[in-house]
Amino acid sequence: MGVLSSRMRWRRGGRAPEHPGAGGEQEAAVEAEVEAAMAVVDEAEEEREDGGPAPRQGPVKRKTDPEGSPGKLPPRKRCKDRSDSVHKALFQRGEGSDVQIRALGEVWNLHRVYLCQSHYFASMFSGAWREATMNTIELHMPDENIDREALHEALGSLYEDSMFVRPSRVIPILATASMLQLDELIQQCGEVMKQTLSVETVCSYYYSAESYGLPNIRALCFQWLLNNLMTHRSEELLRNVSLYIMQELIASSDLLVIEVEMDVYTMLKKWMYLQLQPTWKGPRRALLSDASLWFARAVRESEGTPFLDTEQGRAFVPVFRHLRLAYIVCDLPSARIIDQDALIPATWLTPVYKEQWLALLQAEQTKDPGPADVRVSNIQGNSMRCGHQLRKEEPCNWRWSGFNFGWDLVVCYANRRIIFKRSALNNSQGLGVSLLWQRKVAVRLFLVSLDRAGRTVFRKDTEYQILSLGKDEELEVVNLENQDVVFPIYVACNFLYVPRERHCPE
């Protein structure tokens, strides 16, 4: 039932709203309803104040203080007391009710003038709907997230100034508020979700935000997943991430990868196993070995067919297609694991091997120094993703395995600076070092600090840029001086060091 007309919101605790579409005599009648309802509340208040029944006729005497002046409550307390009285008299006891709502085995004796704060009821009572003239209305819940408690709280919110939403109840209340079109309550639920986002809630909040039209909350949850999917080692999180969310996460260049692309593959293997075996239980360290054994058995039973080509595995193909295989096969131990696991079809890998071999020859045997300009679209889809955790404020150096085309990159952190160094010395991690006097690389960095709930407390991003490095040259890429950095901090990079066209397996 859609909204038939837009209308001003009534601020609760003040004058009750006018009946939608009312005018002239109808408006006067609605005003009389409001006055009658408020009179019920006033009478109840007077009985409580005077210690007995309020007089039925004549002016009402207020209690006075010892000096004879009328006793007055502070405005804020008086407003709160008035709101509490309205809620108790009109909502809880149903005094002066003119409509009965039935749903989920419960009955509420309510008032049209208050219900019309909901766009859902405003449309129902003001249009040509048959409910407009009915005294008893039966509601059918279209959403399984709506329960009696949530409906009771949502209806009760129409009779009070404010409502406390418990985090454990935010999704049922959001579902109910969305059905009743209670904009303020929907907004309040969104604020609760922002404040309580964590590894336990992120997936349910994401699905709810998508279902009930909260794009800001959906984006917040997605960013949380980008930052925490590989930093929070949670089996329950992997169970709860659906196929279509994982597809979007793996496709993103903003995924915080720890350490290199091979680690993305390993995480996906565990995720796929938990999707297929959701009842798995065991120590965290056993998950990967159990997954490897299960997939090995599945491949044997299918007579050597790569798992993603089997009936069970085809559903996961859209996710694995977004793996950046070029940055896995250029590392020998990783390439061997990919071959042994037999999850990925050879038809995917063969063109990647060919492409990487030609790229290696180009880096080793030509004078091409690297990319001349930055095309963000190329970097977004083709870049090497890697990351590292700085646990505390102390100098350290590291390399990322697989970064070995034409130059040896050493990353240094010291004195709140991140420095790239092109080493001209051979090392066991690379395939060789080019002696070209200059090498260029397209790079983007982002640094993130997370609190215990996984929420961002610090972030710094750099633009995509071309860095030019000579042999043994050092270049400062990030300076964190005078910035409020919280450790541990994650350093994530996107590299594109050999220009190429993107090739996707058919």
Side-chain angles (χ1 to χ4, degrees):
M1 189 176 298
V3 179
L4 300 183
S5 62
S6 60
R7 53 201 352 102
M8 297 287 290
R9 295 284 296 166
W10 170 57
R11 181 172 179 80
R12 294 171 195 157
R15 180 173 166 273
E18 295 179 359
H19 195 285
E25 294 180 0
Q26 186 178 359
E27 182 176 345
V30 172
E31 291 292 340
E33 284 184 27
V34 175
E35 293 302 328
M38 300 310 292
V40 171
V41 177
D42 286 339
E43 184 174 337
E45 286 182 349
E46 288 160 5
E47 289 184 8
R48 185 175 66 251
E49 290 177 357
D50 295 336
R56 294 293 178 181
Q57 297 176 348
V60 177
K61 280 193 174 183
R62 293 288 181 183
K63 293 179 70 174
T64 60
D65 59 23
E67 297 181 0
S69 59
K72 292 185 178 180
L73 294 171
R76 184 175 298 176
K77 186 175 188 303
R78 187 168 62 248
C79 181
K80 183 179 185 304
D81 288 348
R82 178 65 168 245
S83 175
D84 291 344
S85 298
V86 168
H87 189 272
K88 290 177 182 177
L90 302 187
F91 179 69
Q92 295 182 19
R93 296 197 296 269
E95 297 178 10
S97 169
D98 60 358
V99 63
Q100 190 178 82
I101 303 297
R102 294 176 177 268
L104 300 172
E106 288 285 335
V107 176
W108 290 269
N109 295 310
L110 304 176
H111 310 79
R112 292 172 186 264
V113 71
Y114 282 92
L115 291 177
C116 283
Q117 295 171 88
S118 155
H119 297 308
Y120 176 87
F121 286 113
S123 299
M124 179 187 292
F125 294 149
S126 65
W129 307 100
R130 63 191 180 95
E131 291 89 348
T133 57
M134 295 172 61
N135 294 326
T136 300
I137 296 172
E138 189 84 28
L139 296 183
H140 300 282
M141 299 298 109
D143 189 339
E144 63 182 10
N145 283 329
I146 301 175
D147 56 25
R148 284 182 292 180
E149 182 182 350
L151 183 57
H152 182 84
E153 293 186 55
L155 292 173
S157 73
L158 300 173
Y159 289 80
E160 53 190 347
D161 291 336
S162 61
M163 172 182 166
F164 174 71
V165 178
R166 289 174 290 157
S168 61
R169 297 291 302 160
V170 68
I171 292 177
I173 291 174
L174 174 62
T176 309
S178 298
M179 188 199 80
L180 298 180
Q181 301 172 36
L182 299 173
D183 296 339
E184 291 178 6
L185 188 53
I186 292 172
Q187 183 179 358
Q188 186 179 351
C189 289
E191 291 300 318
V192 172
M193 294 164 84
K194 283 183 185 179
Q195 295 166 10
T196 57
L197 187 60
S198 68
V199 66
E200 292 83 13
T201 62
V202 61
C203 290
S204 59
Y205 285 1
Y206 181 97
Y207 302 134
S208 297
E210 195 167 53
S211 298
Y212 304 119
L214 296 178
N216 293 339
I217 301 300
R218 180 191 182 278
L220 189 68
C221 293
F222 187 73
Q223 186 60 55
W224 190 100
L225 288 167
L226 287 172
N227 291 340
N228 290 273
L229 184 65
M230 297 189 66
T231 59
H232 258 82
R233 302 183 185 278
S234 167
E235 293 77 25
E236 197 59 34
L237 177 62
L238 291 179
R239 281 192 184 94
N240 292 333
V241 175
S242 68
L243 192 148
Y244 79 93
I245 296 180
M246 186 63 82
Q247 180 180 346
E248 193 174 352
L249 290 168
I250 301 304
S252 175
S253 288
D254 292 326
L255 178 66
L256 180 53
V257 172
I258 306 291
E259 290 274 331
V260 291
E261 195 74 18
M262 184 60 188
D263 295 283
V264 180
Y265 168 83
T266 302
M267 180 271 297
L268 281 183
K269 184 163 68 171
K270 292 188 285 188
W271 166 78
M272 182 165 63
Y273 174 66
L274 290 173
Q275 297 296 303
L276 294 167
Q277 301 293 317
T279 60
W280 177 87
K281 290 183 180 180
R284 180 178 300 170
R285 63 181 178 274
L287 176 58
L288 181 58
S289 59
D290 287 356
S292 298
L293 290 172
W294 191 91
F295 286 120
R297 184 168 59 252
V299 170
R300 285 197 305 270
E301 291 173 355
S302 64
E303 300 180 347
T305 302
F307 185 77
L308 292 177
D309 275 346
T310 65
E311 185 175 351
Q312 271 188 311
R314 288 191 190 103
F316 301 96
V317 166
V319 176
F320 278 80
R321 280 194 186 278
H322 289 293
L323 269 176
R324 300 179 185 189
L325 295 171
Y327 304 110
I328 295 178
V329 301
C330 59
D331 177 63
L332 182 58
S334 301
R336 284 175 171 167
I337 292 173
I338 293 290
D339 186 55
Q340 291 169 3
D341 284 351
L343 300 181
I344 298 175
T347 53
W348 294 25
L349 294 169
T350 300
V352 176
Y353 278 117
K354 177 183 177 181
E355 181 182 9
Q356 287 302 87
W357 175 245
L358 294 176
L360 174 63
L361 294 177
Q362 180 182 2
E364 293 290 335
Q365 300 181 15
T366 72
K367 295 183 179 181
D368 182 6
D373 57 4
V374 178
R375 293 184 180 179
V376 174
S377 59
N378 284 346
I379 295 180
Q380 290 283 14
N382 297 327
S383 62
M384 176 181 180
R385 301 176 292 192
C386 43
H388 186 77
Q389 184 187 45
L390 297 173
R391 296 183 180 276
K392 54 186 177 180
E393 178 69 81
E394 64 179 11
C396 65
N397 302 329
W398 70 90
R399 290 179 171 90
W400 283 300
S401 61
F403 193 103
N404 50 27
F405 284 93
W407 57 304
D408 176 28
L409 174 70
V410 180
V411 186
C412 309
Y413 175 80
N415 300 320
R416 297 222 163 186
R417 290 174 170 84
I418 294 178
I419 296 168
F420 284 174
K421 179 180 178 180
R422 178 189 171 189
S423 174
L425 298 175
N426 276 305
N427 68 85
S428 60
Q429 297 184 10
L431 297 177
V433 177
S434 171
L435 297 180
L436 282 178
W437 72 273
Q438 188 182 61
R439 277 290 180 186
K440 294 180 179 179
V441 61
V443 63
R444 187 274 302 250
L445 278 80
F446 61 95
L447 295 88
V448 181
S449 294
L450 307 171
D451 64 14
R452 291 187 177 182
R455 295 186 292 265
T456 302
V457 294
F458 172 83
R459 184 178 178 104
K460 182 178 178 65
D461 294 76
T462 69
E463 299 292 335
Y464 287 101
Q465 56 186 313
I466 299 293
L467 297 183
S468 178
L469 290 175
K471 290 182 290 183
D472 290 321
E473 183 179 356
E474 295 183 358
L475 186 65
E476 179 182 300
V477 289
V478 174
N479 190 325
L480 297 175
E481 279 190 318
N482 303 319
Q483 300 203 35
D484 189 16
V485 180
V486 179
F487 285 85
I489 189 170
Y490 297 96
V491 181
C493 295
N494 296 102
F495 292 106
L496 186 66
Y497 47 89
V498 177
R500 62 190 180 89
E501 296 295 327
R502 183 179 181 184
H503 294 280
C504 292
E506 293 296 332

